Amino acid sequence: MRDIRNIAVIAHVDHGKTTLVDELLKQSGTFAAHQEVDERVMDSNDIEKERGITILSKNTAIDYEGVRINIIDTPGHADFGGEVERVLKMVDSVLLLVDAQEGVMPQTKFVVKKALQLGHRPIVVVNKIDKPAGEPDRVVDEVFDLFDQMGATEEQLEFPVIYAAARDGYAMHALEDEKKDLQPLFQTILTEVPKPKGSEEEGLQLQVFTLDYDNFIGKIGIARIFNGTISQGETVLLCKADGEKVKGRVTKLIGFKGLERIEVPKAGAGDICAVAGFETIDVGDSLCDPANPMPLDPMHIEEPTLSVTFAVNDSPLAGTEGKFVTSNKIDERLAAEMNTNIAMNYEQIGEGKFKVNGRGELQITILAENMRREGFEFSIGRPEVITREENGVTMEPFEHLVIDTPDDYSGTIIEKLGKRKANMTNMVPMGAGFTRLEFEIPARGLIGIRTEFLTDTKGEGVMNHSFLEFRPHSGTVESRKYGALVSMENGEALGYSIFNLQDRGVMYIKPQDKVYNGMVIGEHAKSNDLDVNPIKGKQLTNVRSSGADDAIKLVPPRVMSLENALEWIEDDELVEVTPLSVRVRKRELDPTVRKRAAKKAKYADE
């Protein structure tokens, strides 16, 4: 049995996980000397590169001093928490990264709790020690206090500490050591991470923790072998979570080395490999020895908390910008997504309408953004939280919300969140003019708050949240204060009419943009919706007067990204998504139908 170490890199979003894995790959000699490598090489898809966030957990392997180190880079964002939880079961220890300035953050707490429950003894890496405002000693104390709160054992509390600046590629045992390379971290991994338990002599036990898909070989399960060995071409038994057992043959066995995937003839206990040949394989399933099957416990997968309706685009501009516009194509694409993304599910709820359930707004907007880039055209409704009934009581998801804000704005934030049924649980001064506020808030209260929050804190506030639990429904939550400016004509917007409408509110369109009856072209400064005409030109006459022809001055429009649009819309509005544009529109394009529906809703409330 070869010498193996399995570790996961966990941390709050943006504390440097992927950058550290980059440097480990470079300094272990995994890349050839002449090979050119991108920054944050583990973030493989375009959205990950653009936003600098990890969306999917990815694994790599490096060989160092004759030891195979399997490393899994995990996402730090709350919407992908379920992914981190599964990954932690597959490894024997974790590298916990903490920013030397920000210290312990909500996501850190979430992942640490899971790691300690599984009995892991983390290696704490205080990253970004080159920051001028970094306080590594305070951060180590914070981590110790956190471990203590989470009920860590004596052994877990004596965690090894490494100080590092992943971007500059050095790590040290003590702050006064020489800043050279990541050698101290490699040595710590070899000495502190336990070798995998399990034996190659016993029957096969392998568990899948994440999925991949290949057009040629179908579903691929990426898995950890706990006992026994597995070979290409071998017949094994797939034990599903619901007790079903299916015999099948391993058509491909894939190992990892750096960024490459290599076909291997055989893999043994402790290794992480990818297996193909089973169409129904799923996360948490086990592959066992057919003669003596001993499946491992199935994994708990977190339930979705948000749902959104995807539908065929039926606006007057439908089909002019996208390549895939039919409901069949949207259905196929959603089905393909569910093949690998187990935190989401979907169902058809009507002609050309699909209800997609996920863990949060970010997860759903990333799916929509990927579809849009692939040439799809569709419309999305407002996100809704998923409620459930327990003993006749309606339960809704609550979130733990942590906000870091400049001291001057904390009053505004507390007032705004109070209207959204948030309950403040903690308030701590963070020094350097910042305060940390902690709340428990219904997930509904978080929909549409991010843009307002950034405006209120002049862009300096930081907001993080993670799922807490289901609690009884807490009544109505205040939503958007302003109405919409709605176009009442079809055509191209003109600068002259936009200039005259600017005083009415914030515009979302610029001259020459295509508009149609029922499309939202701006935010009204008052709370009611207003029908306006953005295509009216200037009446030209033969008479000239001085001063009448001053140049018009247009304020730049507010550009709506997919996330902004989804946060902004109300129940009677939709976001139209095409490869070239994101537009907001009314569900009912005809103004008389809209007025009738509004009247009906008003009488129903009374």
Side-chain angles (χ1 to χ4, degrees):
M1 187 172 162
R2 64 176 174 176
D3 208 352
I4 297 175
R5 302 285 188 280
N6 292 322
I7 55 167
V9 185
I10 60 173
H12 182 78
V13 66
D14 217 15
H15 279 194
K17 297 180 289 297
T18 308
T19 309
L20 181 71
V21 175
D22 261 17
E23 284 300 320
L24 289 171
L25 282 165
K26 285 176 191 163
Q27 295 195 22
S28 63
T30 304
F31 300 132
H34 59 271
Q35 198 173 338
E36 285 206 10
V37 185
D38 291 347
E39 244 187 68
R40 295 200 318 277
V41 66
M42 295 290 282
D43 282 348
S44 51
N45 76 26
D46 292 345
I47 298 181
E48 290 185 320
K49 286 193 165 81
E50 284 164 26
R51 301 184 183 206
I53 60 171
T54 301
I55 295 167
L56 303 164
S57 62
K58 299 182 197 62
N59 41 313
T60 182
I62 56 181
D63 289 321
Y64 183 79
E65 293 184 359
V67 180
R68 163 61 57 99
I69 303 174
N70 288 316
I71 302 173
I72 306 178
D73 180 20
T74 63
H77 204 281
D79 289 13
F80 311 108
E83 190 126 351
V84 182
E85 205 174 330
R86 298 195 304 274
V87 163
L88 292 178
K89 290 196 171 161
M90 297 298 133
V91 295
D92 303 303
S93 182
V94 292
L95 289 183
L96 171 66
L97 259 72
V98 192
D99 185 304
Q101 183 180 340
E102 290 182 5
V104 171
M105 295 290 274
Q107 232 33 51
T108 321
K109 293 182 184 173
F110 174 77
V111 288
V112 163
K113 188 176 174 187
K114 302 289 179 204
L116 294 177
Q117 281 169 355
L118 291 165
H120 294 324
R121 177 167 171 248
I123 296 170
V124 175
V125 180
V126 180
N127 194 21
K128 307 192 183 184
I129 55 167
D130 51 335
K131 277 190 174 181
E135 299 175 65
D137 295 336
R138 169 183 67 84
V139 171
V140 173
D141 291 344
E142 273 184 27
V143 174
F144 184 87
D145 292 344
L146 174 66
F147 280 26
D148 198 31
Q149 278 169 21
M150 298 287 178
T153 61
E154 288 289 320
E155 190 190 356
Q156 285 170 331
L157 284 172
E158 290 178 13
F159 50 84
V161 179
I162 293 285
Y163 300 96
R167 193 189 55 192
D168 301 334
Y170 64 82
M172 310 173 290
H173 288 295
L175 286 168
E176 52 277 1
D177 291 357
E178 187 189 352
K179 296 174 180 175
K180 198 168 154 201
D181 54 18
L182 291 177
Q183 199 80 12
L185 182 57
F186 279 117
Q187 293 303 336
T188 308
I189 291 172
L190 296 190
T191 52
E192 297 291 344
V193 177
K195 292 184 181 179
K197 297 184 179 77
S199 136
E200 294 192 351
E201 271 60 67
E202 294 191 21
L204 173 67
Q205 280 184 314
L206 167 152
Q207 192 166 33
V208 177
F209 65 90
T210 183
L211 296 173
D212 206 344
Y213 194 81
D214 185 288
N215 290 335
F216 298 106
I217 53 179
K219 249 186 184 181
I220 301 172
I222 299 173
R224 154 98 188 253
I225 305 172
F226 286 90
N227 275 313
T229 59
I230 189 167
S231 316
Q232 195 156 320
E234 186 183 352
T235 302
V236 294
L237 191 67
L238 169 66
C239 302
K240 310 257 324 144
D242 57 8
E244 187 193 346
K245 295 190 165 121
V246 189
K247 258 193 183 176
R249 196 172 140 267
V250 179
T251 54
K252 279 253 190 315
L253 189 63
I254 303 160
F256 299 94
K257 173 80 197 284
L259 301 179
E260 292 163 25
R261 296 184 168 194
I262 321 145
E263 269 196 57
V264 291
K266 188 177 178 183
D271 226 337
I272 288 177
C273 62
V275 182
F278 300 88
E279 253 324 290
T280 58
I281 200 162
D282 232 325
V283 167
D285 291 354
S286 306
L287 289 182
C288 304
D289 181 0
N292 178 21
M294 289 187 290
L296 294 148
D297 295 340
M299 291 183 187
H300 158 69
I301 290 158
E302 290 192 332
E303 299 167 45
T305 54
L306 260 196
S307 76
V308 158
T309 306
F310 280 60
V312 171
N313 183 17
D314 59 358
S315 85
L317 299 177
T320 55
E321 296 175 0
K323 199 160 67 172
F324 308 115
V325 295
T326 61
S327 65
N328 286 356
K329 286 288 182 195
I330 295 173
D331 192 7
E332 275 173 30
R333 178 63 181 83
L334 291 175
E337 180 70 22
M338 305 312 151
N339 262 337
T340 55
N341 189 341
I342 60 141
M344 292 176 96
N345 55 51
Y346 86 108
E347 57 185 329
Q348 188 155 357
I349 54 167
E351 191 59 45
K353 283 190 175 175
F354 306 93
K355 185 178 179 186
V356 177
N357 304 323
R359 289 278 310 138
E361 276 176 88
L362 179 71
Q363 196 183 35
I364 290 168
T365 47
I366 281 170
L367 166 63
E369 184 64 42
N370 276 326
M371 285 172 67
R372 174 187 167 193
R373 290 177 185 209
E374 290 159 22
F376 283 86
E377 192 174 296
F378 50 94
S379 67
I380 312 184
R382 186 170 193 246
E384 296 170 358
V385 298
I386 297 170
T387 56
R388 61 184 190 202
E389 290 281 324
E390 274 183 28
N391 308 327
V393 180
T394 306
M395 309 289 274
E396 65 171 339
F398 269 69
E399 303 262 333
H400 175 223
L401 173 68
V402 177
I403 283 177
D404 285 354
T405 169
D407 298 343
D408 303 351
Y409 311 129
S410 54
T412 317
I413 302 294
I414 294 167
E415 183 189 354
K416 187 153 279 186
L417 288 170
K419 289 178 183 167
R420 289 175 174 255
K421 296 279 189 283
N423 180 21
M424 189 159 83
T425 55
N426 200 1
M427 184 172 181
V428 190
M430 291 292 290
F434 274 75
T435 302
R436 179 167 289 180
L437 309 169
E438 297 192 26
F439 298 90
E440 289 175 2
I441 182 169
R444 283 177 306 141
L446 287 172
I447 295 173
I449 197 171
R450 193 170 291 273
T451 320
E452 278 186 42
F453 169 75
L454 287 172
T455 312
D456 290 342
T457 59
K458 307 282 190 287
E460 289 185 47
V462 180
M463 172 172 162
N464 295 286
H465 53 90
S466 57
F467 174 68
L468 198 60
E469 61 187 356
F470 275 86
R471 291 186 185 170
H473 195 274
S474 57
T476 52
V477 165
E478 185 194 72
S479 57
R480 190 175 90 205
K481 292 202 288 281
Y482 302 107
L485 295 174
V486 187
S487 169
M488 50 202 262
E489 297 288 343
N490 298 335
E492 276 191 7
L494 294 176
Y496 175 74
S497 54
I498 292 179
F499 173 68
N500 288 324
L501 289 172
Q502 280 178 165
D503 299 339
R504 298 283 187 174
V506 181
M507 303 306 289
Y508 293 159
I509 55 167
K510 57 185 188 304
Q512 264 90 51
D513 277 356
K514 289 181 181 147
V515 296
Y516 53 81
N517 185 2
M519 176 174 153
V520 175
I521 60 159
E523 181 178 270
H524 191 193
K526 296 180 179 167
S527 60
N528 61 317
D529 289 352
L530 188 66
D531 289 330
V532 294
N533 180 357
I535 67 169
K536 192 170 88 178
K538 185 177 182 186
Q539 292 299 314
L540 297 177
T541 66
N542 229 354
V543 180
R544 293 282 174 271
S545 68
S546 66
D549 282 332
D550 286 344
I552 60 170
K553 294 188 178 69
L554 294 182
V555 177
R558 182 190 292 171
V559 179
M560 286 295 245
S561 70
L562 193 52
E563 272 109 335
N564 294 140
L566 262 188
E567 282 186 355
W568 189 82
I569 60 173
E570 285 295 333
D571 293 334
D572 65 334
E573 290 157 347
L574 295 172
V575 179
E576 179 186 343
V577 183
T578 77
L580 302 179
S581 31
V582 173
R583 302 184 186 96
V584 180
R585 52 164 281 197
K586 288 290 181 185
R587 217 176 261 272
E588 296 292 350
L589 297 178
D590 185 348
T592 46
V593 178
R594 278 205 305 274
K595 282 180 183 133
R596 212 174 293 146
K599 245 183 205 165
K600 220 184 234 175
K602 191 178 173 188
Y603 287 129
D605 287 347
E606 286 171 5

